[in-house]
Amino acid sequence: STLFPYTTLFRSLTMMVPLLHHGMVLCGVPYSESALNETSAGGTPYGPSHWAGTGEPQSVNDHEKAICQTFGERLARIAMKLR
């Protein structure tokens, strides 16, 4: 069905409302992280990720590690401000 992407998005957004109401905080990777532009197997502004492939498994590369480090530091700073 051509409506599938829209219904999935709608469900995701409607499921977020109660979580936001209870204090959920959205946190992503800032665009200032240069590794976002250099990675080929994962890592998005929405958060760290890794695609290992379907054949020979790929290990996490230095760009993905940098994205994870940046995300963790940002998440920790936000958590400290919320305490």
Side-chain angles (χ1 to χ4, degrees):
S1 167
T2 58
L3 292 177
F4 177 73
Y6 301 107
T7 56
T8 303
L9 174 63
F10 180 74
R11 284 185 190 133
S12 298
L13 292 175
T14 57
M15 288 178 0
M16 279 179 49
V17 172
L19 297 173
L20 290 168
H21 171 75
H22 288 289
M24 179 180 77
V25 177
L26 299 176
C27 176
V29 180
Y31 284 103
S32 59
E33 175 53 59
S34 61
L36 284 173
N37 299 321
E38 300 167 6
T39 185
S40 60
T44 70
Y46 301 110
S49 63
H50 174 70
W51 185 71
T54 57
E56 181 85 20
Q58 297 180 24
S59 61
V60 176
N61 62 33
D62 290 337
H63 299 301
E64 292 164 335
K65 290 176 186 176
I67 292 168
C68 290
Q69 183 70 33
T70 301
F71 179 76
E73 290 170 1
R74 184 169 191 200
L75 182 61
R77 278 195 306 274
I78 290 172
M80 293 300 293
K81 289 179 182 179
L82 292 174
R83 319 189 299 144

